[in-house]
Every structure is written in C-alpha cells, then in structure tokens.
Amino acid sequence: MEHFESWKDLLNPEFYIKLGGFWLILFIIFAETGLFVGFFLPGDSLLFISGIYAVQIIDTTFGSTGSDFLDTTILATAVAIAAIIGNEIGYWFGYKSGPLLYERKDTFLFKKKYLFKAHDFFEDHGTVAVILARFLPIVRTFAPIVAGIVKMDKKKFLFYNIVGAISWSFTMIFAGHYLDKLFMDQFGIDLKKKLELIVLVIVLVTTLPIIIKFFFTKDKERPTQE
C-alpha cells in the first residue's frame, strides 16, 4: 500500500494515508478547491478513514498527545484549515477571472458542465450552498469559484466557508474515529478490515445525489453567446 501499484490506488483513501500521511491528506483537501482538480479525489472517504487512523497519523507526524480526542481534534482542525484556504483561493480565482472559465474548453481535469451545475446549486440554495457544498463531491470543487464569479460578499463567504469546513472535517473525521471504536467495542468488528466496503458505501451515499442531479434533471436554459 505504501507504493503506487495501479491507477486504482488513486481512488483508495488508504493509499494516500499510508503514502504521505498527515501532509498529503492536507494537500489533497486543499487541492479539491484550491487547485480545482478535486472532483476525482476521495474527499469524504479520505476524511472518514483518516479518522480511523487519526491517532496513528498524529503520532507519526508530531507524536501522540496521549488522548484520542485531542489527536483527532488536531487532525480535524488541520484539515479544516486546509479546506478553508483552498476555498478562499477558489473564491479569489472566481472573483478575478471566473467568467473566462465559461469560455474554456473541456479537459480531463476541467469540465464546464460541472461549473454550470455548481452555479445552479448555488442559485437554488443561496449563500448556505457554501456550507452544503462541502458535503457534495464535484460541487465543493466548483462552489467557491461560483461564489467568486457572482461576487458574493467576501466577509459573508469567509464566514460560511469557515462554518462549512469545520462542519465537514469534524463530522467526517470524528465519525470515522468513533464509529471504528464503537464497532470494535460493541461488535468486535475492525473497520480497518472493511475499508473497501466503507469507501464504496460513502461514495454511493455522497455521489448518488450528484448523479441524479447531473444526469436525471433538465439543465436550465442558458443564454447563447453570439
């Protein structure tokens, strides 16, 4: 697991945890919005499984505090900060040059349809979309860019950005950590041995709403460019 073996590893959260640990986790979370290429990265499942390994991650990086709660809090806080910074960069990019993205051609890492969908999501849910987007793959990559494009108030965006990042990181990481302990203590089930199933469930739960919205709802009519 510590070495790249196949392209499937890129979709496996455990691969990133064991390959780069704490710092690679932070980079991936930052890259989801800061580098606008995160729609194919395992964001939610990465955080959940990072929670399972939280004590080991902090112990390897800084040395454990001796408290599961504090170690998990340190990891969740660091992830939240990385997520906040990534979103702020996404917002700044959208604010400065976002309209040009609508004229950009599709590439492997950039799909214009995702930008339109994120824009629709933002219109449907208003400013709270900045918080909700954190829990939705693909949308969270483009939501801060859209917020910048529509010139959302900077202070308001920062507030919702902080709330969303903290809610997302603490929810996913603490859920992973304490569900692992619960299943081990109550049922004798080691979630570390069920990671493939966990990733599959998380991917299905988080991406199903996106799949339905992207492929089974009609696109809004958009003005044609002359």
Side-chain angles (χ1 to χ4, degrees):
M1 281 299 301
E2 287 82 356
H3 302 285
F4 179 80
E5 295 178 356
S6 72
W7 291 108
K8 291 188 296 184
D9 287 337
L10 298 179
L11 302 177
N12 187 341
E14 192 181 15
F15 168 74
Y16 297 102
I17 293 170
K18 293 190 174 182
L19 177 68
F22 179 82
W23 301 111
L24 184 56
I25 292 170
L26 297 190
F27 176 76
I28 290 173
I29 298 305
F30 164 78
E32 278 201 301
T33 49
L35 301 181
F36 329 124
V37 296
F39 59 87
F40 67 89
L41 294 172
D44 298 305
S45 54
L46 175 64
L47 293 195
F48 186 90
I49 294 175
S50 294
I52 295 177
Y53 285 101
V55 175
Q56 294 172 240
I57 292 171
I58 296 302
D59 184 39
T60 300
T61 309
F62 307 107
S64 177
T65 65
S67 166
D68 281 16
F69 178 79
L70 287 179
D71 287 345
T72 307
T73 299
I74 291 171
L75 178 60
T77 301
V79 166
I81 293 172
I84 291 169
I85 295 173
N87 254 20
E88 287 297 318
I89 291 178
Y91 173 86
W92 175 85
F93 183 82
Y95 195 91
K96 294 295 184 180
S97 58
L100 296 177
L101 290 176
Y102 289 105
E103 301 176 4
R104 181 176 174 179
K105 294 183 179 179
D106 284 352
T107 65
F108 175 74
L109 296 178
F110 174 82
K111 302 295 182 184
K112 192 185 299 183
K113 65 179 181 179
Y114 296 153
L115 185 63
F116 283 128
K117 292 295 183 179
H119 189 280
D120 293 344
F121 182 81
F122 197 90
E123 284 189 339
D124 292 340
H125 299 281
T127 53
V128 75
V130 178
I131 298 176
L132 296 177
R134 275 294 175 193
F135 296 86
L136 297 173
I138 300 177
V139 174
R140 66 170 163 260
T141 300
F142 293 95
I145 302 175
V146 172
I149 292 173
V150 300
K151 299 294 190 293
M152 180 178 176
D153 181 76
K154 294 179 181 179
K155 292 182 179 179
K156 184 178 292 187
F157 175 80
L158 177 60
F159 172 77
Y160 284 105
N161 180 19
I162 292 173
V163 172
I166 292 176
S167 300
W168 180 56
S169 62
F170 275 74
T171 297
M172 299 304 298
I173 290 176
F174 271 82
H177 183 73
Y178 285 103
L179 282 178
D180 180 47
K181 292 175 68 66
L182 175 66
F183 273 77
M184 179 60 74
D185 294 342
Q186 298 296 322
F187 310 107
I189 299 175
D190 186 357
L191 293 186
K192 294 183 181 68
K193 297 180 180 179
K194 308 288 185 180
L195 294 183
E196 290 186 0
L197 178 60
I198 291 172
V199 171
L200 178 61
V201 171
I202 293 175
V203 168
L204 287 176
V205 170
T206 57
T207 60
L208 187 58
I210 301 299
I211 293 174
I212 293 174
K213 185 174 180 62
F214 276 34
F215 297 102
F216 297 98
T217 59
K218 294 182 178 180
D219 290 335
K220 294 182 179 180
E221 292 187 5
R222 309 184 189 282
T224 56
Q225 295 181 349
E226 296 182 357

